[in-house]
Amino acid sequence: MTRETRDRSTTDRGRIRIEGFDEAVAADRDDDAVDRWADGRTNDAETPSRGRFEDAWRRFRSNRTAVLGLAIIAALSVVAIFARPIAFSTAEYTITIQPFSLAPYDPAEMYVGPPNAGPSAAHPFGTDWAGRDLFSRVLVGGRFSLSIGVVAVALALVVGIPLGAIAGYFGGWIDELVMRVVDILYAFPFLVLAIAVVAVVGRGYWNIVAALALTGWIGYARLLRGEILSVKEREYVTAARVLGTPDRTIIARHVVPNAVAPVVVQATLNVGTVVLTAAALGFLGLGLEPSTAEWGSMLANSRDSIAAGHWHRTAFPGLAIFLFVMAINLVGDGINDALDPQGETAERRRR
Amino acid sequence: MTLATYVRKRVLVSIPVLLGVTALTFSLLHLTPGDPVDAVLGFQEVDPDVRESLKAEYNLDRPVWEQYLFWLRDALVLEFGRSPITGRDVGATIADRLPYTLVLGGAAWLCSLLIGIPAGVVAAVKRGEPADEVSRIAALAGIATPNFWLGLVLLFVFSVRLGWFRVIPPDAPLLSPATLRFLILPTITLGTASAALVARLLRSSMLRELNASYVRTARAKGLPERTVICKHVLRNSLIAVVTVAGLQLTLLVDGAVVVEQVFSWPGMGRLLVGAIGQRDLPTVQATVLVVAVSVVLANLLVDIAYAVLDPRIRDER
């Protein structure tokens, strides 16, 4: 569909164009043609077309701190994956997926060194009360924090985006219902709600993920709904509706793609919050099993170890959490600036 | 819409939310795997006879919706029963602990404003300069630092190594000088993330206001830049800080849960975590309910304050 309306300087863009109904389209007017036409319209005026995403990527790349954050995340992910071999073993045989081992010791093996020893050449981060190597534990611990953060946010998006889209698009009683549920859950602070869920379902990896996803979706649903309220009033949505495009297609192909950008930014930033909350649960002894090499759980009894002067047991797992969350926030900030450079334009106008 | 109409509407919207909050908190009892009687008993072994009498005492032999209404009626008069673990009245325990959390949270909130507002103003005024970048990185770091870890580090450096503060709270009344002195480290720990939030929000809100035409007018009539910033821009931008007060409250509550744990501060958070560890469900329910209802009421007040400060928003919702 090549039309001269690609010209961005057209003054009347955004209007419903009657010439969209040219004879060729009207002749074989079926759903497909309608969608193609509507797609053409959205691409012209409103959708972040490929050009805009390329633009955003260019802005992101020129943001040094954001690229640094991305590099830190990549490095931590590589370290987490290659910290210990990954293998599935059954009774007869073992399938090794990843044979490398960056960590010098098994993170669960006790008394590989003296208990509570400070950092040394053999144990760069020292050892914990059971003589386990903290360096190995911190490297492996990334697996839990990173995967909990990403999986919980992904699950929350899977719940939040459809609910937010349906509530925002249809309005009426279904909107009322979803938003009242959101309001009710919003009354519980994130960590308190997660604690309450863990109190009910118990500890464990998937329970933590479920608790964090259950508390996380409300933010995305609310945000997306708000965006959709303005997007659905746009002309291209009205046009699609007038042309008889089914609601499901309008939501999936026209409304959500145009409203989802802030949700993506929010979700990126939320990975950091979720990792912090998971670590806080671990610190409170409500996360994974206490002996797990998870960053938060490693800090669970650090009050006592700090009083005894064993600072290294607290310092390194905490630094790991800080580094990861900081990197996430830098990236989230970069994405935000890249997708919404309005601050910049406003600034230029001022000068 | 007049203010009175707006307030009435806003209060009416809060009522179903409050009912939902109580229903959800109540359902914790029934969502916990096993017999609710066990949950009320704190999972201790008892005679079948005692069990039955307890079932009747807690109305657990009635339909769930009736149980909820009974529970709601008791909760309205702050009657939460006895804790099966400590045997103490749950309402009395909360009355003991709540002031500690309120003092800690209030101090941290003040601390966050004292740090966050100047940092945000500097970042906005010096936009793009090194000061802005430093403030931005500091704010991001403040948000990224796990508060329990920050607390542990401060505890280690200032209490264990330097000995400036006690490691555990002094055995003194809440508002005594000794206790308030001890409160310094927990306040900084809890206030940091909040300060970062305020700084970032104020920066973006001030940047928006700086583009407004009244700023150009103020500058054009020759007002000193200082007056323009302090009297015009900052005043209008602070409204944005009011709107996040609700968000800040939940952030402070979440933070208090862990910070109280780090500093052995006997507030609501420590009560909640301890109660979960001991499977003391009535205490968990009561604590969660008090927190959630406070958040709903605080958000109500924030919205009303917002409507008073900025009459435009009364018509928006």
Side-chain angles (χ1 to χ4, degrees):
Chain A
M1 186 159 280
T2 53
R3 301 218 316 268
E4 71 287 356
T5 45
R6 288 217 168 272
D7 184 3
R8 284 174 175 266
S9 65
T10 326
T11 46
D12 61 346
R13 74 174 170 176
R15 298 259 180 83
I16 296 179
R17 265 166 216 286
I18 304 303
E19 67 262 36
F21 282 104
D22 61 20
E23 279 155 22
V25 177
D28 57 345
R29 188 194 289 152
D30 53 12
D31 275 359
D32 262 333
V34 166
D35 283 342
R36 273 206 308 279
W37 178 83
D39 273 350
R41 296 262 337 127
T42 32
N43 276 337
D44 290 340
E46 305 290 347
T47 319
S49 59
R50 210 190 294 128
R52 217 166 102 186
F53 275 122
E54 271 167 14
D55 235 30
W57 171 237
R58 199 174 41 74
R59 272 195 296 268
F60 183 86
R61 264 187 329 191
S62 65
N63 185 338
R64 264 178 305 160
T65 49
V67 173
L68 176 71
L70 204 58
I72 293 173
I73 293 171
L76 284 175
S77 309
V78 168
V79 164
I81 291 169
F82 293 102
R84 293 299 290 175
I86 301 176
F88 290 105
S89 31
T90 56
E92 293 94 32
Y93 52 90
T94 304
I95 306 167
T96 306
I97 293 171
Q98 191 283 106
F100 299 99
S101 176
L102 291 175
Y105 298 96
D106 183 339
E109 198 183 339
M110 296 195 191
Y111 304 108
V112 296
N116 289 325
S120 64
H123 304 285
F125 291 176
T127 57
D128 69 1
W129 64 273
R132 292 176 289 212
D133 181 51
L134 275 176
F135 182 64
S136 305
R137 287 175 77 74
V138 168
L139 291 192
V140 174
R143 283 186 183 175
F144 296 104
S145 294
L146 270 66
S147 66
I148 286 177
V150 172
V151 173
V153 167
L155 271 180
L157 283 173
V158 166
V159 178
I161 288 185
L163 283 177
I166 290 168
Y169 184 77
F170 290 110
W173 66 268
I174 195 161
D175 183 28
E176 279 293 312
L177 183 71
V178 174
M179 284 304 114
R180 281 300 91 80
V181 173
V182 166
D183 282 346
I184 290 167
L185 288 177
Y186 247 112
F188 299 91
F190 197 53
L191 181 60
V192 172
L193 188 53
I195 287 177
V197 173
V198 172
V200 169
V201 297
R203 296 191 295 203
Y205 183 88
W206 286 106
N207 289 350
I208 302 299
V209 168
L212 294 171
L214 199 70
T215 51
W217 69 269
I218 47 178
Y220 310 132
R222 183 184 260 192
L223 193 60
L224 186 67
R225 171 186 173 270
E227 289 294 315
I228 282 179
L229 285 186
S230 65
V231 168
K232 76 169 180 183
E233 300 302 330
R234 301 267 174 84
E235 289 85 349
Y236 59 82
V237 177
T238 316
R241 212 178 291 162
V242 166
L243 292 170
T245 317
D247 283 330
R248 205 161 23 146
T249 318
I250 299 181
I251 293 178
R253 296 180 61 178
H254 305 308
V255 174
V256 170
N258 285 305
V260 87
V263 180
V264 171
V265 174
Q266 189 63 35
T268 320
L269 285 169
N270 264 5
V271 174
T273 317
V274 166
V275 168
L276 280 180
T277 310
L281 284 174
F283 168 74
L284 296 174
L286 299 170
L288 304 175
E289 284 305 306
S291 60
T292 318
E294 191 259 336
W295 292 338
S297 306
M298 289 164 73
L299 293 172
N301 292 314
S302 41
R303 230 194 96 81
D304 302 332
S305 64
I306 265 191
H310 303 136
W311 59 272
H312 60 276
R313 281 182 51 191
T314 303
F316 296 111
L319 273 176
I321 302 171
F322 169 74
L323 195 64
F324 180 57
V325 177
M326 183 78 184
I328 293 270
N329 287 352
L330 289 174
V331 170
D333 223 37
I335 294 179
N336 198 15
D337 288 349
L339 286 181
D340 173 37
Q342 249 155 24
E344 271 179 335
T345 39
E347 171 83 354
R348 246 179 266 127
R349 214 177 304 134
R350 182 162 73 93
R351 278 182 182 157
Chain B
M1 203 187 293
T2 64
L3 187 61
T5 324
Y6 176 79
V7 170
R8 205 174 313 130
K9 250 180 98 175
R10 188 62 190 74
V11 169
L12 279 178
V13 171
S14 302
I15 290 172
V17 173
L18 280 172
L19 281 177
V21 163
T22 54
L24 201 60
T25 313
F26 167 76
S27 64
L28 283 178
L29 180 65
H30 288 273
L31 291 172
T32 307
D35 193 338
V37 181
D38 284 325
V40 171
L41 279 170
F43 299 89
Q44 297 157 358
E45 289 289 323
V46 285
D47 284 355
D49 290 354
V50 180
R51 230 184 142 78
E52 287 310 309
S53 71
L54 273 170
K55 236 181 177 163
E57 189 190 329
Y58 285 99
N59 302 312
L60 289 171
D61 46 358
R62 297 178 188 237
V64 173
W65 63 270
E66 262 184 58
Q67 293 178 32
Y68 168 63
L69 290 181
F70 277 118
W71 184 81
L72 188 61
R73 186 197 61 193
D74 288 348
L76 277 177
V77 292
L78 302 176
E79 177 61 60
F80 297 106
R82 275 175 301 111
S83 154
I85 307 296
T86 61
R88 276 199 70 191
D89 183 58
V90 175
T93 312
I94 288 183
D96 284 350
R97 303 295 196 96
L98 194 56
Y100 282 86
T101 298
L102 288 178
V103 168
L104 174 62
W109 186 64
L110 275 183
C111 168
S112 76
L113 293 184
L114 286 178
I115 300 172
I117 291 180
V121 171
V122 168
V125 172
K126 309 246 177 216
R127 172 161 196 185
E129 292 174 33
D132 179 25
E133 193 68 0
V134 167
S135 155
R136 189 179 81 98
I137 300 288
L140 283 175
I143 293 170
T145 311
N147 45 14
F148 51 93
W149 183 65
L150 179 65
L152 289 167
V153 170
L154 292 178
L155 194 69
F156 178 74
V157 173
F158 293 103
S159 300
V160 176
R161 276 291 150 93
L162 297 174
W164 292 359
F165 301 99
R166 295 171 54 101
V167 178
I168 54 166
D171 191 14
L174 177 56
L175 291 174
S176 64
T179 313
L180 291 182
R181 183 188 154 95
F182 175 80
L183 200 60
I184 293 175
L185 288 185
T187 300
I188 294 173
T189 311
L190 186 54
T192 301
S194 232
L197 181 75
V198 169
R200 301 210 65 195
L201 191 86
L202 189 60
R203 173 182 181 272
S204 60
S205 136
M206 277 187 73
L207 286 178
R208 226 174 304 123
E209 292 293 331
L210 277 169
N211 288 315
S213 44
Y214 68 85
V215 176
R216 204 175 334 121
T217 313
R219 283 189 179 132
K221 70 180 182 187
L223 285 184
E225 187 67 14
R226 210 188 149 73
T227 320
V228 175
I229 298 292
C230 294
K231 280 225 162 144
H232 297 275
V233 178
L234 183 58
R235 266 191 167 184
N236 282 303
S237 310
L238 280 178
I239 291 181
V241 177
V242 174
T243 59
V244 286
L247 176 66
Q248 246 190 317
L249 179 73
T250 58
L251 197 69
L252 285 173
V253 171
D254 274 352
V257 171
V258 286
V259 171
E260 286 177 6
Q261 210 65 21
V262 172
F263 290 97
S264 310
W265 186 253
M268 296 284 282
R270 212 167 141 72
L271 181 66
L272 174 65
V273 174
I276 283 180
Q278 295 173 314
R279 310 198 70 176
D280 178 353
L281 210 66
T283 305
V284 172
Q285 278 182 311
T287 320
V288 170
L289 186 70
V290 168
V291 166
V293 169
S294 316
V295 171
V296 174
L297 294 181
N299 276 324
L300 179 65
L301 289 180
V302 166
D303 278 359
I304 293 174
Y306 194 20
V308 171
L309 290 173
D310 187 352
R312 280 173 302 181
I313 77 123
R314 288 176 209 166
D315 299 321
E316 270 173 21
R317 295 177 206 179

